[in-house]
Every structure is written in structure tokens, then in C-alpha cells.
Amino acid sequence: MREISASKIREAVTELCLKANFDLRQDVLGALKSALKKETNARAKNILKEVVENAKLAKKKRLAICQDTGLVSIFLEIGNDVAIKGDLEEALHKGVEDAYKKGYLRKSVVNDSLMRKNTDTNTPCIIHVDIVKGDKIKVSVSPKGFGSENKSAIKMLRPTASENEIVDFVIDVVKRAGADACPPLILGVGMGGTFDHAALLSKKALLRSIETRNTKKHFRDLEKSLLKAVNSLKIGPMGLGGNTTALAVNIEEFPTHIAGLPVAVSVSCHATRSAEKVL
Amino acid sequence: MINITTPLTEDVRKTLKVGDEVLLTGTILTARDAAHKRLCDTLKRGKSLPLNLKDAVIYYCGPTPARPGRPIGSCGPTTSSRMDSFTPALISLGLGGMIGKGDRSDEVTRAIKKHKCVYFLATGGIGALLSTKVRSSKVILYNDLGPEAVHKLEVKDFPLLVGIDSKGRDLYDKAGWKKE
């Protein structure tokens, strides 16, 4: 049994929150630069230029890429052969709090969805745990802004739904997101499982590099046709027209019930942020 | 590129056309969801606002805290449509302009047209870059709201697009995709 202290995990969470907020993911930055080369609409090109310039400045000056530094979700993959010494839950929340204080990041969390008093710590964070084989812990953090989060949606399709129905649902979500979700978007799509699990998968899909496609061919093909359909909408960067409405569609999937086909779409902006580390 | 300064008087507002690229210099006030709710609750109670909105510009923004030596942290626009239900009341008090991202309700567009107001778009998700256009920042109202407090910002050459002009013409309509 390998022992990992909660304080190590707390430090890792802090480091990852800071990295995610200051240093735009290389895969996302790469896709933005290549979109800038391909984009033909003048206004869209200008916006993409600003976005790339913003990422450079944020990294250099350690300024938040976006002022909406998000509600932090933490995804843990804990190996069976790991023993955690100390209070894991506290370590995760404190790790977030440390980062948001140290990094001059915005505290965007309120204590209660109706009373709405700011907690001033950007906590609590959302915690997801998977138990895996091995003696390591993988920590992934995703500080996600709510401009895009507000546009996410789920639909329980019939098990016999056609591919067109899936595409239509995703298109509908993207249209309703419009300019508000800060396109070009990255779409995380969760398919299968249950209502809640599809939503979780759609979030996990956003953690995956947008340069990596689904391992199954039929899902790879669907990722491709969804991206094509979304970009044919011509919503463009910030909704002002252009060829670049989404940079990528990532699907994660799971077995499901004979009676259903849950499809969840996590809408994410051009500043899709996450960072991960293996302990 | 058109240079404008605050206060944003009706004479200036009327010269701006949808799609114009604008650099704004002067004073703007941040206010987002919670501040809008408080302002409009005050009006509902029949009281006058603790702010003079005549020819003022409201920026839908909740900045990150400033690092030492900087006037402000990242400070890009938030989604404007969440303010739609509160906006017509503020426009009717003489509000000169609003800065945000995304489209507005028909009711807001009608109020803009009626009172010759202007809705500007700032690029979303470039808060670090926009922070370089801010010279100073000070909380002037609702301090307890933290990032949602009303900040008075002095900006220089803040880059904007005219999203809806004083005639009610809408840039998203022109982009062609707009939701049905």
C-alpha cells in the first residue's frame, strides 16, 4: 500500500488551479491558432487574434485568462493500492481556497442557491472520485465559467433514436448557446449510462485533449459529423459570424439501459480550462 | 475606429451605427446580476437610486481582484441577457450605454430605441487583455457583493463594437444565424 498525504493533494490542487487559470491548454491554444489561419471572416479573425493575444498575456503576467475563474470541479482517479493519510475532502477544498487567494482569482461561489451569499473562498468545489487500479492518484481540476455552463443541457432520447436526432439535439443546444457561451466552443458530449452519469461523462469529455478522438470508430465518426454540423451554423467567434463555431466535439460514452439513450452536452467556451497531475 | 468619451450624451449616441468599432475613454460602472436586482428593488420601493445613471455607461462585469501594482484583475464582459428583465427600467432613467456580450431581448431593444441608448459588445474571454485598458478601479456601491459590487472604472481606449445602436439595429441580426 502506497501512502500519499492529504497535504500533497492540497498542494497539487492549488498548483493545478493556478495553472489552469493562467496558462491556456496547449491543445486549445493550438486549435485557436489554426482556426485563425483558416478563418475567412474579418471580424472573426480579429476576435481570434485577441483571444490568442489574451492567452499570451495571461500566461506572462499571471492574470486570469477570463475573469470568470469558475466553480472548480475536481476529478480524482484513486488507485486501489493507495492509502490517503489525512482529510482528503478538506485538502481538496483548502487547495482551491489557497489558489484563489494566492492567484488573485475571482471568488464566484455563493453559499446557497437561494440565499446567495458569497463564500469568499471560491469553495466548496465539486468532487468526483473514480476508483482505478494501481498505486497512484490522478488529480484533474476544471475551473469552468458559467457563461457556458448555463447553456449545457441533457436529453433522454429513445433507444432507437437515429443519428440525426442526436445531431439535432446538439445543434439545438449550440444555437441556444448562441453568442452567450463565448464561441468558438468546445463541446463535451456524454452518451449512455443514466441521467446523472451522462452529465458526468460530458464533463469528463472536456478534460480530454481536443487533439485526441474517441477510441471507438462509430463515436469518432459521430464526433466528426457533429463538429461539421455545428460549424455549418456560422455562428462564429462571439456569435458575430464566421466558420469557427466550435473547435472540437469530444464524446465520452458508457453502456446504458435497453429503454434509453441519455445524451448530455457540456458547453464550454474558447477559454476551456483544466489541468491534471499524477501523484 | 471611432473615439468616444463619457458621459455618453444623446448627441454622441445618435452618431454611432451598429457594427462601428469604438474606443471608449472615461468612466464606466460595473454592475451585474446582484447589483441589478438591488437597483431595481430600490426603484420598486419607490426610492431613488444611489447612482446617477444619466448618460452613464454600465459594464456587465465582475473583475478578478487586482494584483499588487495593477489597477484591476481580469475584467471581461459577462452575459448581458441575464440583465434583460432589469434593463428597461434603468434605460428609462437616462442610462447612456451598456457593455456586455451576447444578444438582448426584444423588450431591451425597444427601450434602447425609445431612449436612444446604445448597447456595446466587448469580446468575451479576453479579460486579461481588457485589464490593460483600465487605469483605475474603485468600489463605490454594494461592497458586500464582492466581485459583484459596483466598481467605478476609469478606462482608456476600451475596445468595443456597437451591438445595438440608438435606432435599434442589432449586429447579431446582421451575422445571420440568430436564433428563431
Side-chain angles (χ1 to χ4, degrees):
Chain A
M1 201 57 118
R2 185 171 161 244
E3 204 170 82
I4 298 179
S5 70
S7 64
K8 263 241 144 52
I9 297 169
R10 175 173 172 170
E11 283 165 25
V13 166
T14 302
E15 178 195 327
L16 294 171
C17 286
L18 292 170
K19 183 171 187 251
N21 273 299
F22 298 145
D23 195 352
L24 189 62
R25 275 166 47 173
Q26 283 308 302
D27 57 324
V28 176
L29 186 58
L32 286 164
K33 285 179 179 169
S34 95
L36 175 57
K37 271 186 205 150
K38 278 185 255 168
E39 184 59 70
T40 50
N41 177 305
R43 195 169 270 142
K45 259 184 132 62
N46 272 341
I47 291 169
L48 292 169
K49 248 184 237 168
E50 289 177 317
V51 168
V52 170
E53 200 187 328
N54 182 69
K56 274 187 207 159
L57 183 75
K59 186 176 181 179
K60 194 173 148 203
K61 301 276 188 192
R62 290 177 70 74
L63 286 166
I65 296 162
C66 174
Q67 74 289 339
D68 189 351
T69 51
L71 173 53
V72 177
S73 293
I74 299 182
F75 301 82
L76 296 177
E77 289 177 19
I78 303 178
N80 267 318
D81 302 322
V82 178
I84 296 164
K85 202 178 157 199
D87 187 334
L88 173 63
E89 194 193 356
E90 187 191 71
L92 299 173
H93 296 305
K94 287 288 180 191
V96 171
E97 182 175 347
D98 292 347
Y100 278 68
K101 196 178 279 177
K102 209 158 119 187
Y104 296 88
L105 302 174
R106 196 177 79 184
K107 287 79 182 170
S108 312
V109 177
V110 290
N111 68 331
D112 174 310
S113 60
L114 296 178
M115 301 311 286
R116 309 200 72 85
K117 185 174 163 36
N118 199 303
T119 62
D120 290 326
T121 56
N122 213 52
T123 63
C125 59
I126 311 285
I127 302 166
H128 298 289
V129 179
D130 283 320
I131 306 299
V132 298
K133 287 192 170 34
D135 64 355
K136 295 189 167 57
I137 299 181
K138 184 174 170 188
V139 185
S140 306
V141 308
S142 155
K144 191 166 183 297
F146 257 55
S148 61
E149 186 72 355
N150 279 335
K151 307 295 175 179
S152 296
I154 192 163
K155 192 164 188 181
M156 305 302 277
L157 293 175
R158 287 173 301 115
T160 52
S162 67
E163 184 176 317
N164 279 345
E165 287 172 75
I166 298 167
V167 174
D168 285 349
F169 170 55
V170 174
I171 289 295
D172 185 49
V173 171
V174 172
K175 272 193 193 165
R176 278 190 290 113
D180 293 355
C182 286
L185 307 173
I186 293 170
L187 299 173
V189 179
M191 295 182 62
T194 48
F195 178 77
D196 55 314
H197 197 61
L200 177 58
L201 289 171
S202 72
K203 278 287 164 72
K204 286 185 175 177
L206 293 174
L207 300 176
R208 194 176 90 208
S209 166
I210 60 173
E211 290 163 358
T212 308
R213 301 273 48 87
N214 192 287
T215 50
K216 291 185 183 170
K217 187 176 180 302
H218 54 289
F219 283 109
R220 265 200 310 278
D221 291 344
L222 184 55
E223 286 175 340
K224 214 171 144 185
S225 47
L226 283 170
L227 181 62
K228 200 175 161 197
V230 167
N231 281 328
S232 72
L233 293 173
K234 307 285 177 203
I235 291 172
M238 294 315 297
L240 295 173
N243 305 318
T244 324
T245 302
L247 299 172
V249 178
N250 280 6
I251 299 176
E252 289 293 320
E253 50 86 27
F254 196 79
T256 191
H257 190 275
I258 48 173
L261 170 45
V263 179
V265 183
S266 272
V267 177
S268 194
C269 59
H270 61 69
T272 293
R273 287 147 285 173
S274 69
E276 60 185 50
K277 187 176 190 175
V278 177
L279 298 174
Chain B
M1 196 68 77
I2 300 164
N3 291 286
I4 56 171
T5 53
T6 59
L8 204 63
T9 58
E10 189 174 323
D11 287 346
V12 176
R13 279 150 26 203
K14 283 200 293 201
T15 64
L16 298 173
K17 289 191 305 294
V18 69
D20 280 350
E21 293 178 21
V22 168
L23 295 175
L24 176 72
T25 296
T27 306
I28 60 179
L29 303 170
T30 69
R32 42 174 295 151
D33 309 69
H36 272 77
K37 186 166 188 306
R38 277 197 194 175
L39 290 171
C40 289
D41 284 348
T42 305
L43 291 175
K44 266 186 215 154
R45 288 197 304 269
K47 300 204 170 132
S48 58
L49 293 185
L51 285 172
N52 181 7
L53 292 181
K54 171 92 178 124
D55 299 338
V57 177
I58 287 182
Y59 183 22
Y60 305 139
C61 172
T64 63
R67 279 188 180 278
R70 297 188 80 92
I72 198 169
S74 282
C75 54
T78 195
T79 304
S80 307
S81 59
R82 294 197 315 269
M83 267 48 81
D84 281 354
S85 61
F86 304 113
T87 296
L90 303 184
I91 291 179
S92 69
L93 293 174
L95 181 67
M98 300 155 284
I99 305 170
K101 67 170 164 100
D103 58 4
R104 309 302 304 260
S105 65
D106 293 342
E107 201 190 353
V108 169
T109 305
R110 276 197 298 275
I112 287 173
K113 200 172 162 181
K114 183 174 173 196
H115 297 275
K116 309 221 165 4
C117 186
V118 182
Y119 170 54
F120 298 100
L121 303 176
T123 302
I126 62 159
L129 198 59
L130 290 175
S131 77
T132 65
K133 310 296 179 188
V134 178
R135 295 288 176 261
S136 71
S137 164
K138 193 183 160 198
V139 172
I140 58 160
L141 192 63
Y142 308 149
N143 192 34
D144 61 299
L145 293 179
E148 293 203 82
V150 175
H151 296 63
K152 184 175 166 184
L153 309 184
E154 296 298 330
V155 299
K156 175 96 170 64
D157 296 336
F158 202 86
L160 302 169
L161 283 170
V162 175
I164 302 174
D165 66 18
S166 59
K167 292 200 167 77
R169 292 174 296 196
D170 183 340
L171 191 56
Y172 292 114
D173 284 338
K174 294 188 151 216
W177 59 270
K178 197 157 162 185
K179 47 200 165 186
E180 55 273 7

